[in-house]
Amino acid sequence: MKRFLKAGLVLALIGTGVVSQAATELVIATVNNGHMIEMQKLTPFFEKANPDIKLKWVTLEEGTLRQRVTTDIATKGGQFDVMTIGLYETPIWSKKGWLKPIATDAAYDVDDLLPAIRSGLSTDGKLYAAPFYGESSMLMYRKDLADKLGIKIPDQPTWAQVKDFADKANDPKGGVYGMCLRGKPGWGDNMAFLTTLVNTNGGQWFDMQWKPQIDTKPWKDAITFYVDMMKKDGPPGASANSFNENLALFNEGKCAAWVDATIAASFISDPKQSKVADKVAFAQAPTASTPKGANWLWSWNLAIPASSTKDEAAQKFIKWATSKDYVNLVAKETGWASVPTGTRKSTYANPEFQKVAKFAEAEKKAIDSANLTDSTLPKSPYVGVQYAAIPEFQAIGVAVGQQMSAALAGKVTVDQALKTSQTAAEREMKKGGYYK
């Protein structure tokens, strides 16, 4: 009798809709930066539109994120259903079969993605990660100081012109340093900037035989120029500074010039964050002997590991988070100044965005001009502007970054730093089987 009562109760509950299918839980690994934190705040909008999907966020510092997702995807751990990965990982992992293609539709409008970013995230014509925000690098400088000194910075300056401005604007007693640049060691820290400086001086990481090219004249020219300029015009302790430290210095009015990620432009021109918001101007990244590879290209993207069993839900979420509708949602909730940039043509074409983003034109020009497959004057076998998209590059970039930071701090000479870096790179490439 009890059995029949239970069965009747279940049928009654089904009839009233009380019993419902358990929601699919999507575990998303992401990085702890402003745009990603904003996305988490907007989770209720996605969950309301998709009541059968619940989002669980795992938010990590950039270095930890890379380690966790790399380990998970390489071991097919299945810990994450959606991963935040960079432009560096996407081509490597897609070729290994570690990622599922992104299933785009007409509403998503894949043709609206900026060509340079879309190309970097595609393998054999298929998109393997969807861009959440993208960036290049450019010159940000104090126009009020340039005007006072009677210096006009062109839209496409040379490093000689920028150094001239930095030398003249440098006033440590007055609390202004002529130039702020990354010095903290890391392949995504000082080496992101320094690789572009090497590129524009005619250098490269590897020749067509995959032999490291670090102990060469273009590298020596670039690193010597960097060390000399920073010793003369840089802030104290520059060898420990990366993006966040230089951003803080610039916002306090302590940098006359800064070459870094275009994403910084929205922060330094925001009066809520920057004391010099109304005094800044923007130009393309400076060039030396060639314009090739003078400015980098990067994006943070959402991807689905091949091990995920929740493909349909993951695709839905990624399409939502990287869509035109999402950009409009951020604009509605927090304003056009806060939308993720560097991914869609429609964002830059929007008059509301143009009104609040005086950096928009320079940023888009920088992104459009970056070429992942042709970023060095001599022909190179690798894809990437400020990195080489091979698994061995992370270890090489870290080792070289430490040497360059030591040279900036005066602990070793530039020649010693280059020789040690060359040896370390050769060791890694031989170990990787690129040559004997």
Side-chain angles (χ1 to χ4, degrees):
M1 185 69 186
K2 279 182 185 174
R3 197 166 55 208
F4 289 119
L5 282 170
K6 278 184 188 172
L9 182 62
V10 169
L11 285 169
L13 287 170
I14 290 169
T16 58
V18 174
V19 174
S20 63
Q21 195 177 357
T24 301
E25 184 182 72
L26 276 186
V27 182
I28 305 164
T30 194
V31 67
N32 65 342
N33 67 32
H35 284 313
M36 298 306 192
I37 303 293
E38 186 60 40
M39 178 166 55
Q40 291 168 50
K41 288 180 191 167
L42 298 174
T43 291
F45 287 92
F46 176 79
E47 290 182 343
K48 191 179 176 187
N50 299 275
D52 56 332
I53 303 172
K54 291 287 168 220
L55 306 182
K56 182 183 175 185
W57 296 93
V58 179
T59 309
L60 304 162
E61 183 272 328
E62 186 175 330
T64 311
L65 172 79
R66 287 188 197 286
Q67 290 166 357
R68 289 274 300 274
V69 299
T70 303
T71 301
D72 189 63
I73 203 160
T75 59
K76 297 184 173 65
Q79 217 181 335
F80 307 113
D81 302 301
V82 175
M83 293 176 164
T84 304
I85 65 174
L87 208 54
Y88 165 74
E89 292 91 354
T90 306
I92 299 173
W93 292 1
S94 63
K95 282 171 189 162
K96 285 179 181 282
W98 290 356
L99 300 173
K100 292 184 180 182
I102 304 297
T104 56
D105 53 22
Y108 185 77
D109 191 6
V110 76
D111 291 330
D112 186 46
L113 298 178
L114 295 178
I117 301 284
R118 180 183 174 184
S119 167
L121 299 173
S122 300
T123 301
D124 300 327
K126 284 183 185 172
L127 198 67
Y128 277 89
F132 184 67
Y133 80 82
E135 65 181 37
S136 183
S137 54
M138 65 181 175
L139 171 68
M140 296 161 276
Y141 67 98
R142 289 276 300 278
K143 189 165 187 308
D144 61 324
L145 297 180
D147 290 346
K148 190 177 164 188
L149 292 163
I151 293 172
K152 181 164 172 49
I153 306 275
D155 289 339
Q156 179 57 83
T158 64
W159 270 110
Q161 288 170 319
V162 172
K163 184 180 182 300
D164 178 56
F165 170 57
D167 287 348
K168 289 172 180 168
N170 190 47
D171 179 17
K173 284 180 183 169
V176 177
Y177 302 102
M179 177 60 73
C180 290
L181 294 170
R182 297 184 182 195
K184 183 182 177 183
W187 75 267
D189 287 294
N190 63 343
M191 293 319 299
F193 166 71
L194 287 175
T195 301
T196 63
L197 188 60
V198 167
N199 291 341
T200 195
N201 273 278
Q204 62 188 152
W205 275 100
F206 310 102
D207 67 12
M208 290 303 288
Q209 283 71 50
W210 289 105
K211 296 267 174 75
Q213 297 297 298
I214 301 166
D215 197 8
T216 58
K217 186 178 183 298
W219 274 79
K220 185 172 181 177
D221 290 347
I223 306 305
T224 302
F225 175 85
Y226 162 75
V227 169
D228 288 350
M229 179 170 61
M230 291 302 286
K231 279 182 178 172
K232 184 177 179 183
D233 300 328
S239 60
N241 292 349
S242 194
F243 176 84
N244 288 329
E245 292 79 12
N246 286 324
L247 174 62
L249 285 167
F250 199 101
N251 279 346
E252 283 296 313
K254 293 181 178 178
C255 298
W258 180 29
V259 178
D260 212 302
T262 54
I263 201 79
S266 58
F267 305 132
I268 64 172
S269 56
D270 176 4
K272 290 177 195 161
Q273 302 181 50
S274 170
K275 290 180 179 175
V276 292
D278 59 342
K279 298 177 176 69
V280 298
F282 309 95
Q284 296 303 295
T287 60
S289 59
T290 173
K292 284 197 175 190
N295 56 296
W296 72 59
L297 187 67
W298 185 253
S299 62
W300 279 115
N301 320 283
L302 299 174
I304 305 169
S307 58
S308 175
T309 56
K310 300 166 187 173
D311 185 61
E312 193 181 336
Q315 296 277 5
K316 260 188 200 175
F317 169 72
I318 287 176
K319 275 191 277 192
W320 172 79
T322 63
S323 66
K324 287 188 262 191
D325 286 345
Y326 177 83
V327 173
N328 291 327
L329 174 64
V330 175
K332 185 182 163 194
E333 292 299 309
T334 59
W336 276 100
S338 304
V339 302
T341 60
T343 60
R344 289 187 169 272
K345 299 171 194 171
S346 53
T347 302
Y348 292 93
N350 189 297
E352 296 300 313
F353 175 68
Q354 289 171 8
K355 235 183 269 179
V356 299
K358 59 180 179 179
F359 56 85
E361 190 183 343
E363 179 181 61
K364 185 172 183 294
K365 188 178 176 183
I367 292 170
D368 287 346
S369 70
N371 189 335
L372 289 167
T373 57
D374 185 21
S375 63
T376 57
L377 191 59
K379 205 172 174 194
S380 295
Y382 53 88
V383 169
V385 183
Q386 77 280 19
Y387 57 84
I390 56 171
E392 293 75 14
F393 180 75
Q394 286 195 45
I396 292 170
V398 169
V400 177
Q402 287 166 344
Q403 288 301 313
M404 300 306 128
S405 189
L408 179 58
K411 293 174 183 173
V412 296
T413 65
V414 169
D415 283 345
Q416 286 170 322
L418 295 175
K419 280 187 173 63
T420 305
S421 297
Q422 177 74 17
T423 303
E426 285 174 355
R427 186 168 56 244
E428 286 293 330
M429 295 304 278
K430 283 175 183 172
K431 202 163 74 179
Y434 287 81
Y435 60 92
K436 290 180 182 178

